[in-house]
Amino acid sequence: MLGAQVDLVGNLARLTDAIAEAAIRAGRGPEEVTLVGVSKTQPAGAVVELVRAGLRHVGENRVQEAAEKFPVVRELLAGEAAPLCHMIGHLQTNKAANAVALFDRVDSVDSLHLAQALSRRLADERVLPVLLEVYVGDDPRRPGLRPDQLLDVAGQIIELPGLRVEGLMTIAPLGGDARTAFHQVRQLKQKLSEAFPRIYFGVLSMGMSEDYQLAIEEGSTEVRVGTALFGPRQPR
């Protein structure tokens, strides 16, 4: 039903072109930026349509919604390549076991406590890629590691069994200057790389529907886009 209302395949093509153009403007290759389609409130059928059109990464904000949607997506895609599933929203430690079962990567690890909970719930030999979420604004209620604690907490998370820290994720502060925030987080990733040279922090997940082009210009390697891809959010 949604596909008749929203040109999902056309949106994906337009967004892919816009990402490529932003990368080229920044002197980068289009292949350096990955699109994560944020399927919050969107039906499984819309996800499947986009995956069949070439979307390889899908992000969800809530464990409960992913638990209802992802099995349907995989069933509809039986025999076809399934997307990589990202947890991109705030994750409570009591949902760690469900997250480990549902997601291919957790992009919103914002505390040592959460990282420890994820590590404990991994079965033998399983490696779970994660991103550390950082926040560079001044709202104390927002989730994310603060810049002054990043190196200390990252050093402890890196040593946890089963977790592979692949980089950083951020959301630009509400009402703040997005470019400045993205630049700060890019510098934090550089500091992380210098502090832990044996680890490859290749991912910088920055930018959403309204600011992804700025993020790409500031070095983002992954953009998380919902509305510009799926159209308006659907009623829950």
Side-chain angles (χ1 to χ4, degrees):
M1 184 175 72
L2 183 70
Q5 300 169 345
V6 177
D7 180 12
L8 294 170
V9 176
N11 283 353
L12 178 60
R14 285 185 287 273
L15 192 54
T16 301
D17 286 345
I19 288 169
E21 288 166 7
I24 291 166
R25 280 199 306 273
R28 306 170 61 197
E31 72 284 353
E32 294 178 44
V33 185
T34 297
L35 170 63
V36 179
V38 180
S39 59
K40 181 178 181 180
T41 78
Q42 305 293 346
V47 177
V48 168
E49 184 175 343
L50 282 166
V51 169
R52 285 176 172 155
L55 183 68
R56 301 301 313 132
H57 298 259
V58 176
E60 271 295 339
N61 291 69
R62 297 168 67 245
V63 168
Q64 183 178 345
E65 187 172 347
E68 295 166 356
K69 187 184 304 179
F70 286 168
V72 178
V73 168
R74 291 185 176 113
E75 184 178 348
L76 291 171
L77 287 169
E80 303 174 61
L84 291 170
C85 298
H86 299 242
M87 174 61 187
I88 61 172
H90 178 63
L91 179 60
Q92 297 170 311
T93 54
N94 64 357
K95 301 280 180 63
N98 290 335
V100 163
L102 285 165
F103 294 98
D104 298 300
R105 196 177 77 193
V106 175
D107 294 4
S108 51
V109 174
D110 59 3
S111 70
L112 176 61
H113 187 52
L114 173 58
Q116 290 168 332
L118 291 168
S119 175
R120 283 195 301 270
R121 286 158 179 81
L122 288 167
D124 290 344
E125 306 302 319
R126 166 120 188 245
V127 174
L128 178 69
V130 300
L131 301 183
L132 305 183
E133 181 177 359
V134 293
Y135 176 70
V136 295
D138 53 16
D139 185 345
R141 297 165 296 180
R142 298 295 297 176
L145 296 165
R146 272 38 181 182
D148 61 354
Q149 65 178 161
L150 177 61
L151 292 185
D152 178 52
V153 176
Q156 297 178 74
I157 292 175
I158 286 167
E159 298 303 325
L160 292 173
L163 298 187
R164 184 173 69 234
V165 180
E166 296 193 333
L168 299 181
M169 184 270 264
T170 198
I171 298 171
L174 291 172
D177 181 65
R179 184 184 290 279
T180 299
F182 295 148
H183 184 73
Q184 285 179 270
V185 176
R186 181 181 187 176
Q187 290 180 315
L188 288 171
K189 186 171 87 77
Q190 182 62 33
K191 287 183 180 178
L192 208 58
S193 296
E194 291 168 359
F196 305 101
R198 66 186 175 87
I199 308 291
Y200 177 59
F201 303 104
V203 179
L204 193 54
S205 177
M206 309 190 298
M208 299 189 290
S209 287
E210 65 280 1
D211 55 22
Y212 71 87
Q213 297 194 41
L214 276 179
I216 291 169
E217 291 171 11
E218 289 298 331
S220 178
T221 68
E222 289 187 6
V223 294
R224 308 178 305 276
V225 179
T227 305
L229 179 59
F230 285 92
R233 288 180 181 172
Q234 303 298 300
R236 289 200 185 279

